[in-house]
Structure formats: C-alpha cells, structure tokens
Amino acid sequence: MKTARKFLRNGLGVIGAVIILVLILVAIFAPQIAPFDPNAQDYNKVMMQPDGEHLFGTDDLGRDIFSRVVYGARISIQAALISVGIAMLIGVPIGLLSGYYRGFWDEWVVMRSVDAMQAFPFLILALAISAVLGSGFGNAMLAIGIGFAPAFIRITRGQVLSLRNMEYIQAARSVGVKDARIIFRHILPNALNPIVIQATLAMASGIIAEASLSYLGLGVQPPTPSWGSMLNQAQTLMSVAPYATFYPGIAIFLVVLGFNLLGDGLQQVLDPRSRK
C-alpha cells in the first residue's frame, strides 16, 4: 500500500500508467470500438479525408484507418509482452546462474557473449536475427527477445553479485540450504525491482522494434493491421494523404511515451535510494 501511494504521487508515472491502461482496454475491446472490419476494402471510399463516418479517413484500399489503428493496438501489446517475456526467460536464469557461480563460465563465456551482442546496435541485431529466421510476427518476436536478453543478463547478474555475499545468504549456506533454493527463494525476490523496471522500459523498445520490423516487411504481414506496416503502406501517400501516416505514427509515439513514463515512475518508487 505504501508503494502504491508513493507511485500515485508521481504524476508522470500515473500518466504513463493511464496511457498503457487505455491501450490495453482498446486492444481487449477492439471489436466493440472499431466501427468497421479493419481489413474490409471499399473501392468507392478510397483515400477519403477524415470525417464523421471515417474518423481517421481511409487508405488507398478504402479501409478504415481508425479501425486499423484500434486493431493495431493488439499487435503492439503482444509485441511488448512476448518480446520482453522471451528476453526475461533467456536473460534472468542465465544472469542468476552466471552471477552466483562466477568462474570461467561467467567471465569468458556469458559476459563475452553479452559484450559481443551489445556491440551491435539493437535494431541491427534484431534485423539480422529476423532476416535469418524469416519474416513473420513469431520470428520477429523471437529476434527482438534475443536482442533484449543481454540487458537482462547484465542487470540480473549485477544484482546477484551484490546479494550473494550478504549475511542472510551466507547464513543460508552455513545451514546447508541448497544452491537452487538460495538462488530462487532468497536472491531472485530481492533482485526483482530493477528487473521489473528494465522490463517496463524494454516494452517501449519492443513496440518500436516490432513497428520497425513490420515497416521493413520482416514483422507482421499484410493484411493484419500493425502500426509499422501501416506506415510502410502509407509512405507513398504522404503528399496526397498525410493523415494515413499521422495516426499510426502518433499511436506509436503515445504508447512508447506511456511505457517510458511508467518505467520512470516505477524506478522512482522501487529504487531503494529514492525511498523515504
């Protein structure tokens, strides 16, 4: 309760949480919110300007842009959750074991591999992995998740290194508690705060990465509505129908802003140095 009250006093964090809550509600109730089938083509209404019937106008195939933006929220939520989930499934266990046992495996295998992966810009790494795996939403999520994993390995390992020699851990060892129980029952719960903060901030990057891969044709494939693929399809219409790129672009901006504000708010609340 104290943590919740402290978070509610963080205005920007609350704004971020509200944006994300709205995104989730839009994704869940997309069939009720969208006035049209997002993939329905009407060649009598091609590239109509925004009006009372089509709030965001229509694209070059006569599809309602508002409906496609609404359904695109589902892809963004899935991208954020799946990519970060994959990264955590890979990064957190490796970081825990590497930091706890140290030695050759930690210094010369795990950390050198992490250094090598982080030497590449994240999007370039995701593009390379996605190109190898092939196009499609599932492969894009796996590529993004692998690209995110090194950050989770570093953060988790750093937390383990700061906790492994604490008195309560040494006491647990002295009474014969097994390593697995120490790692997952004593160390992991106390290392969760920075992992949660990193996960929230990574979700914003995951949405941008999914939109980028979809824009380049390596992510969600047409006709499934994705904000990135919508930008790709509308780029040739900039001079005659700028609204076709504006709305999916502003949707990406608002959602990424929401996750960043939420992550900053959680950092201020969960960071022990900011507690009073």
Side-chain angles (χ1 to χ4, degrees):
M1 291 299 295
K2 182 179 179 181
T3 301
R5 286 195 298 269
K6 186 175 181 180
F7 179 79
L8 291 174
R9 291 196 297 268
N10 187 299
L12 293 178
V14 171
I15 292 174
V18 170
I19 293 174
I20 301 308
L21 177 60
V22 170
L23 172 70
I24 293 172
L25 292 175
V26 168
I28 293 173
F29 296 106
Q32 289 74 37
I33 296 172
F36 299 94
D37 181 338
N39 297 321
Q41 302 177 14
D42 187 347
Y43 292 104
N44 294 319
K45 298 181 178 180
V46 171
M47 294 173 58
M48 289 182 60
Q49 296 285 333
D51 57 21
E53 182 181 8
H54 298 280
L55 296 179
F56 293 174
T58 62
D59 62 12
D60 56 337
L61 297 176
R63 297 174 296 190
D64 182 64
I65 293 177
F66 176 74
S67 299
R68 291 181 65 76
V69 169
V70 167
Y71 272 87
R74 290 185 164 185
I75 296 296
S76 292
I77 285 291
Q78 293 176 38
L81 295 178
I82 295 174
S83 63
V84 173
I86 291 172
M88 292 179 68
L89 285 174
I90 297 173
V92 172
I94 292 177
L96 285 171
L97 297 175
S98 179
Y100 187 80
Y101 289 109
R102 301 296 304 276
F104 176 84
W105 166 261
D106 171 51
E107 294 291 341
W108 295 103
V109 179
V110 174
M111 295 314 299
R112 297 295 76 78
S113 298
V114 167
D115 290 341
M117 293 179 70
Q118 291 191 319
F120 294 92
F122 164 73
L123 189 56
I124 300 299
L125 180 62
L127 277 170
I129 297 172
S130 186
V132 171
L133 296 176
S135 61
F137 181 73
N139 287 340
M141 293 303 96
L142 183 58
I144 296 170
I146 293 172
F148 280 157
F152 284 94
I153 292 174
R154 277 195 180 279
I155 288 174
T156 304
R157 176 181 178 272
Q159 289 298 302
V160 174
L161 292 178
S162 66
L163 293 170
R164 67 191 300 272
N165 293 320
M166 298 291 286
E167 290 182 0
Y168 71 95
I169 300 297
Q170 293 178 355
R173 289 198 195 100
S174 68
V175 296
V177 178
K178 294 183 178 179
D179 287 347
R181 185 177 179 85
I182 292 175
I183 292 171
F184 293 102
R185 292 294 299 275
H186 298 289
I187 293 179
L188 179 59
N190 290 291
L192 279 179
N193 284 356
I195 296 174
V196 170
I197 294 168
Q198 174 63 25
T200 305
L201 296 173
M203 287 181 183
S205 299
I207 290 174
I208 294 177
E210 182 278 323
S212 301
L213 293 179
S214 295
Y215 177 85
L216 296 171
L218 294 173
V220 177
Q221 300 300 300
T224 303
S226 162
W227 295 339
S229 61
M230 289 176 68
L231 289 173
N232 174 276
Q233 294 161 14
Q235 63 180 338
T236 58
L237 308 176
M238 281 290 293
S239 59
V240 292
Y243 57 85
T245 57
F246 174 79
Y247 293 110
I250 199 67
I252 294 172
F253 167 77
L254 288 175
V255 172
V256 170
L257 175 66
F259 273 114
N260 281 324
L261 291 178
L262 178 60
D264 289 342
L266 289 175
Q267 185 171 23
Q268 293 182 30
V269 171
L270 299 177
D271 188 344
R273 292 170 295 183
S274 68
R275 293 177 182 172
K276 297 181 179 179

